[in-house]
Amino acid sequence: MGAISTSGPSPIDDGPGEPTAIQAVPLRHYGQWVAAAIVLILVVLFVYGAATNPAYGWSTYGKYLFDSRILVGAGYTLLLTVLAMVIAVILGVLLAIMRLSPNVVLRSVSWVYLWIFRGTPVYVQLVFWGLFPSIYKRIDLGIPFVVQFAHLNMQDLYSAFLFAMIGLALNESAYMAEIVRAGVSSVGEGQTEASIALGMSWSQTMRRTVLPQAMRVIIPPTGNEVISMLKTTSLVVAVPFTGELFGVQADISGVNFQPIPLLMVASTWYLAVTSVLMVGQFYLERYYSRGASRQLTGRQLKAMAAAQNKVLAVDEESDERR
């Protein structure tokens, strides 16, 4: 924003010669400077107070930040996040297709699944998965009431990591189903009709026409769900599985009785991994949003300017020849 100065000669001159240039005086935003100064002072005071507060235990924080147990816990957290999200995405796509299916039975089953897993807290679900071997001590595989081909002893097969992964994946799949369904529904019916008119099958239409356009809607909330899943892994202590990041720091703080610096360590690693995921989400969104925005990149603007200069040069040559 700028203000036009009215002092001096008029910018429009009726007489001979060049018109006087407009003198633009930029506006001074004093409010922004005051707000920035206040925020900076508050940040400095907070940092100074935290640095000088012995309750934070910065020496303990530095000691355990790269501790091998913390690193292993961060690795388990990432593994849980990746495996649970992969299963959730696959199952979520199937549930979304069932929701969009004309089959009443498939739609009803999908709706009931979403109703149960979205209507109950994930912590409660994880507690049930931890109690699963106690509820079902043995699972018989075969024809009900006739013959059983195999017997699974859940007490022997129990694995806290496995049940934690299943619990997280089944809960997340309910949310991914709605995200995928919203993305597919956002694509106009004309796109599908045009693809069918060109002779594409239903699978080709979904793969080449619908899904590439739906990804623009699916990717942003899916990225948020991945970040949310990373933090939700801290709840798997309900299974109980204590090998992930939050469980490891809880075990260590239970021994040295310094929970605050250990929580700071866990928070630092959560922030670091989340930052990496946010960068990946940014590039994925930019990749799938190509052509959806009118905003041009710097490279495109340079190319347009170069093309315009060539056109002007050709016009000048034509005028000279005339």
Side-chain angles (χ1 to χ4, degrees), residues 74-322:
Y76 272 114
T77 297
L78 282 174
L79 186 61
L80 269 175
T81 302
V82 172
L83 293 179
M85 281 305 303
V86 169
I87 298 173
V89 169
I90 296 173
L91 188 56
V93 171
L94 294 177
L95 290 169
I97 293 174
M98 292 170 64
R99 285 294 305 274
L100 297 172
S101 172
N103 190 310
V104 178
V105 176
L106 293 179
R107 289 205 312 270
S108 301
V109 171
S110 176
W111 184 88
V112 171
Y113 182 96
L114 268 61
W115 173 62
I116 293 174
F117 282 94
R118 292 199 304 168
T120 55
V122 61
Y123 187 85
V124 175
Q125 296 174 27
L126 291 173
V127 170
F128 271 105
W129 281 108
L131 297 173
F132 189 86
S134 300
I135 301 173
Y136 300 99
K137 295 181 174 60
R138 191 179 75 168
I139 296 179
D140 298 325
L141 301 178
I143 302 175
F145 308 109
V146 179
V147 62
Q148 284 74 40
F149 304 111
H151 307 280
L152 299 178
N153 190 338
M154 299 308 300
Q155 299 291 336
D156 296 336
L157 295 177
Y158 177 75
S159 171
F161 179 85
L162 176 63
F163 282 101
M165 179 187 66
I166 293 175
L168 292 174
L170 293 182
N171 177 266
E172 182 60 33
S173 63
Y175 296 93
M176 285 303 306
E178 289 299 281
I179 292 174
V180 174
R181 185 175 68 89
V184 173
S185 300
S186 67
V187 180
E189 295 181 357
Q191 301 289 326
T192 304
E193 295 172 354
S195 300
I196 295 175
L198 292 174
M200 292 186 185
S201 63
W202 183 84
S203 61
Q204 290 176 332
T205 300
M206 292 295 295
R207 187 174 65 255
R208 299 178 180 178
T209 304
V210 177
L211 287 179
Q213 298 180 66
M215 291 298 286
R216 299 171 183 170
V217 179
I218 294 174
I219 287 296
T222 300
N224 293 335
E225 291 299 316
V226 173
I227 295 174
S228 177
M229 174 63 73
L230 176 74
K231 294 175 290 186
T232 306
T233 56
S234 61
L235 299 179
V236 296
V237 293
V239 174
F241 177 72
T242 58
E244 46 75 46
L245 182 58
F246 183 82
V248 170
Q249 70 82 26
D251 292 339
I252 297 175
S253 63
V255 175
N256 61 14
F257 301 104
Q258 297 189 55
I260 295 177
L262 268 301
L263 285 173
M264 295 289 291
V265 169
S267 300
T268 300
W269 280 104
Y270 281 125
L271 283 172
V273 178
T274 300
S275 301
V276 175
L277 293 176
M278 290 176 66
V279 172
Q281 178 184 354
F282 169 77
Y283 284 104
L284 274 177
E285 289 182 13
R286 191 173 70 172
Y287 175 81
Y288 283 105
S289 64
R290 293 177 302 176
S293 175
R294 294 180 179 272
Q295 185 176 1
L296 300 179
T297 63
R299 183 180 299 178
Q300 291 172 330
L301 290 173
K302 290 181 181 179
M304 290 181 62
Q308 185 177 8
N309 291 334
K310 290 182 180 179
V311 172
L312 292 176
V314 172
D315 293 340
E316 290 177 358
E317 291 180 1
S318 300
D319 294 339
E320 291 177 357
R321 292 175 181 175
R322 293 176 183 175

